[in-house]
Amino acid sequence: MSPARPLHLDTTLAASERAELLLRQMTLEEKCGQLSSFLPWTFVNPDGSVLAGSVEKVLATCPPGHIAQLITDDPAQLAKLVGAVQQQFLTRTRLGIPALFHAEALNGPLAGGHMVYPTAIGLGATFSPDLVRAMSDLTRRQLRRAGIAHVLSPVMDIALDPRWGRVHETYGEDPYLAAALSVAYTQGMQGDDLREGVIATAKHFLGYAASLGGRNQASVDLGPRRLRDLYAYPFEAAIHLAGLASVMNSYSALDGVPVIFDREILTTLLRDVLGFDGFVSSDYDSLPLAVNAQKAAATPAEAARLALTAGLDVEFPVPYGYGEGLVELVRNKDLDESVVDTSVLRVLRAKFALGLFETPYPRETIDVRATAAEGRELSRELARRAVVLAANDTGLLPLPADRSLNLAVVGPHADTVLRQFPAYTFPAWREAVNGVMEGAAGTMAGAQTPEASWFTSILEPADPEQLARTRYGARPLGEEIGGFARSVTVEPGCGLIHELGDEAIAAAVRAAEDSDVVVLALGGASLWFTGDRTEGEDSDTADISLPVVQTRLAEAVAATGKPLVVVLFQGRPYTLPEAVRSAGALVIAPFGGPFGTSAVAEVLFGAVDPSGKLPYSVPRHTGQIPVYHHQPAGTGYRKPVAPHNPHHYLDMTAAPLYPFGHGLSYTSFELSEVSYGPEVPTDGQLTVSAVAANSGTRSGATVVQLYVGLRTAGLTRPAQQLAGFERVDLAPGERRLITFTVDASQLGCTGTDGVFAVRPSAGELFLGLDSDDKRLTGEFTLVGPVRALSGAERSFLSESGSTAVTED
């Protein structure tokens, strides 16, 4: 007689019931193992064969619940190794609980053989949630067929300080834009049914980008109202609109308490207030950081007790205090087993919801060639939409596309493609592995020392620059421009932060003098090791000026008097020297992936009309920071200039050089006929409409933006906040009616009583094409009783759409 099928394998039961049934069968060691992670080379050799020895004890007593960062050169190899590791969990452990593999997927899977998309700040510049959802949806399908069901993305931090090196991983400075894109990413990644989905992880909870001095992992000083109303906004939106299933902690200490030890943040705020019911994943090495750097715990055991009690469910990437460490805490009566059970249930519920017990292995044979091509046109379109035309005062752009020009393409971005692939892309990871193998220091916490023997076995030797060219078909800017010009001369002139010598500058100047137009390709680079970088993880700067060597080059080239177009490739704003500010045209582009340079070339020559919008404000000077558009009323450049002073500061204005949402086109757009209701009940809706028209001579796209500002008794609120946006494509002469419907609950805030509510308030609104473009304005009033709201009752994103306007 065959043994009875375990009840937890009954697929007719809910995931929560199955988790409870399985928990009852587990030993303390098995429970604690579910809350820890191991690296893949602990279990298998590079060829997929099984490791023996110490692994036997791990699998027999305290098998981990998670496997961290299995990165390979191609999808078939990835699926083979995932399957080999997973087989050990299913066949060599007592209960056969499958492991949950996690990966990075900020802008496509961090794995060889998959498409790369523009980095997150570039996705922000597109103002295109539909395309972000399409990107994460494809990424979901690719990862699930490889057996990976958990990603440590997206980054929902609100980046207000450009000194912080990780700005490019975010969607920018605005909480509404970040929420719109975070919701889209989460919906695409988790899918309509989590059995076919991949768990998204929102990071970093909470206020991580607000660290003191713009320093990575530094402390954060924020009050509870600002934490809830500003920094938690994208997280709360993703929880309620997309069913967000995982959250990752911030490394920082908030008001003196490391977030991993802060029950007020990880339980009271996250779960009780925001309504989160998934599991909390630790950022890599969070516990060692709390012990060794923040000095908030004396031992790994103490750190583990504090973290688990606070609400940190799982430790990544390897056990420091969790796993067997938790077993000892419970055995010694330093931790109640019920605390462990609570976190284990969260992990098991996720595994059952994902269908891992039914389909634990990679799902199909991988077609390597087909996988590499998936998403190609989507990546190209995102790269095009991410290019921002910041200035074109002389009408220098678009350049004629009749191959009549001799061009000089000068600068450190002129002849490279690798810098289009920042941290959290596969070429950058390959470069980091090479660098660390050669003795350089890694900058990603928890992953500074890759397993040399493993990676040398599974990775073919590769020059990352050539890999980016051959594997992804990426071409340098000089080559892309060559397809439009009569001739192109390329000279680097300087490195990103290092001089190449006087002769390099002289060669760049000669190339400029011999050209009709100069394209000066400047900007930054994000690396995962201590190479030639200007930004990235643990790569912050006190001064956000364009690097000195690039300024010297810009001044030398500008002195030739030749028509000058500056292209800035950057993941965060830089302050710009006069030689750049006075150029005939300025284009700002993100690290755009395989099609970053081709998208810029197409914009320069008018093959694509620029439609990108800045997802951050560009300061004039580092001393202006912060300079974000939603500053509180009466603060920063939202404070009126005093009568006795011509500027906000004695020496300059506090206003940015370019505001959030700014971006020009080669055609012109008009807004007219604004309409709205002057009174909005606190349980009602604000409906605003206007007509957008293309008054130019060519087709183009723009983003119509709605901003509101509220005067609420007893509070100073943002002088303005983005309340909706609508990207619209218009042919010459075409007119469309743009309508926004904003639920009053979207306009709520936390009051002096600590209650989130919609309150009677006087309001102002404006419609424009950037955050300072107040071409259509109005006033309205929120009327009615105070309406207290839970997260489940809130609206986070307005509804918008457009309809054609025909002449009578």
Side-chain angles (χ1 to χ4, degrees), residues 229 233 680-682 684-686 706-710 712 717 721-723 742-750 756-759 761 763-764 780-782 787 789 794-796 798:
D229 293 2
Y233 194 87
V680 180
T682 54
Q685 294 177 326
L686 169 66
L706 170 66
Y707 294 86
V708 299
L710 293 161
T712 302
R717 300 188 64 178
Q721 60 192 72
L722 182 63
V742 184
D743 195 274
S745 64
Q746 188 180 319
L747 306 179
C749 67
T750 302
F756 188 92
V758 184
R759 294 173 168 80
S761 305
E764 299 175 341
F780 67 97
T781 306
L782 281 174
R787 181 183 169 209
L789 297 167
R794 289 183 64 183
S795 174
F796 297 92
S798 60

Side-chain angles (χ1 to χ4, degrees), residues 46 71-74 77 81 112 426-427 429-431 433-434 437-438 452-468 470-471:
I71 304 173
T72 65
D73 220 14
D74 70 67
Q77 182 186 35
L81 288 172
F426 185 68
W429 180 81
R430 286 298 309 268
E431 184 184 28
V433 170
N434 289 353
M437 297 294 191
E438 294 168 1
S453 61
W454 170 275
F455 286 121
T456 54
S457 297
I458 68 169
L459 301 176
E460 293 290 332
D463 171 71
E465 174 76 26
Q466 292 305 312
L467 182 148
T470 58
R471 189 80 67 88

